[in-house]
Amino acid sequence: MTAPDWHVREDCSPSVLVALYLRQALGVRHPDELPQLRGVERGAEASEGVERLWRRYWDMTVEPEAHPSPVPLELVEGFGTHVALPAYADALRQAAAPHGPHALAYAHDAAVRYDRMRRSYRGYAGAVVEFERRAGRRAHDFRLDVQVLPLAQRGVWWIGALTIAVSDTLRGDVAAFDAAMQPILREVG
């Protein structure tokens, strides 16, 4: 019998950061439970069309393998390789265009801060060992993607089927982070 195989990938993806920057700047509500980014002004409420297009873009950005585009995507000028939308997404493209430089700068700064504070992978190993001790069994095979983000509220939120967002303030507190990971591990492990 082989030992269960688990894989946790941690990142502070510039593409996810740009998407969340646009979420706030454009006044998109989804996902309602996810707090706002620190230091980004919230725009007026988005139109229903922009909100709908942003949701599809968000799904493709967070979990591209689970949400492939049924049509070819085009890079949006001013966002480098971080924003690609279907040709029919003109309303979102036009709404996003003025925010490119600020969104990219924000994402770059957040990624630099993340690289400075990055913790070792052993943080997850410790959380899994603690889960196994409490559960009285080995963890099942699982994959978990973790986005460490500069969120205005401290905590952990599901943002995809296999992806969670963790506030950078929580990730920096090893004991609190391990405790916050236990409910997540109960779901996936």
Side-chain angles (χ1 to χ4, degrees):
M1 181 152 106
T2 61
D5 185 29
W6 55 270
H7 177 73
V8 178
R9 184 176 62 98
E10 182 180 281
D11 195 11
C12 178
S13 165
S15 296
V16 169
L17 286 163
V18 166
L20 288 174
Y21 185 100
L22 289 174
R23 169 192 178 223
Q24 271 174 251
L26 301 178
V28 172
R29 294 177 309 273
H30 179 79
D32 293 327
E33 66 282 353
L34 187 66
Q36 304 292 304
L37 293 171
R38 289 190 308 269
V40 178
E41 255 186 71
R42 182 154 176 79
E45 191 168 321
S47 70
E48 188 177 312
V50 166
E51 174 108 14
R52 187 176 56 256
L53 290 168
W54 185 89
R55 284 178 182 219
R56 294 177 89 180
Y57 155 63
W58 172 247
D59 289 342
M60 289 187 299
T61 301
V62 171
E63 291 182 339
E65 299 99 12
H67 302 281
S69 176
V71 298
L73 300 175
E74 301 169 355
L75 291 174
V76 177
E77 191 174 328
F79 288 92
T81 59
H82 298 295
V83 179
L85 300 173
Y88 62 79
D90 284 336
L92 181 55
R93 183 178 287 101
Q94 289 171 4
H99 301 286
H102 295 292
L104 289 178
Y106 185 89
H108 173 76
D109 291 347
V112 166
R113 282 192 310 275
Y114 168 74
D115 282 341
R116 284 190 200 129
M117 64 80 57
R118 185 183 297 235
R119 304 290 182 218
S120 81
Y121 184 75
R122 291 173 7 155
Y124 294 98
V128 171
V129 167
E130 179 62 18
F131 163 76
E132 290 175 338
R133 186 186 68 72
R134 288 181 181 185
R137 64 171 176 80
R138 298 287 311 249
H140 301 298
D141 293 352
F142 71 87
R143 176 182 144 205
L144 181 65
D145 292 327
V146 179
Q147 290 292 326
V148 179
L149 304 169
L151 298 169
Q153 189 178 338
R154 186 175 165 141
V156 178
W157 299 266
W158 283 101
I159 58 173
L162 301 172
T163 308
I164 60 172
V166 175
S167 62
D168 56 355
T169 55
L170 178 63
R171 184 64 179 105
D173 180 339
V174 175
F177 175 73
D178 281 354
M181 287 301 295
Q182 293 308 306
I184 303 296
L185 292 172
R186 277 195 297 275
E187 286 188 48
V188 299

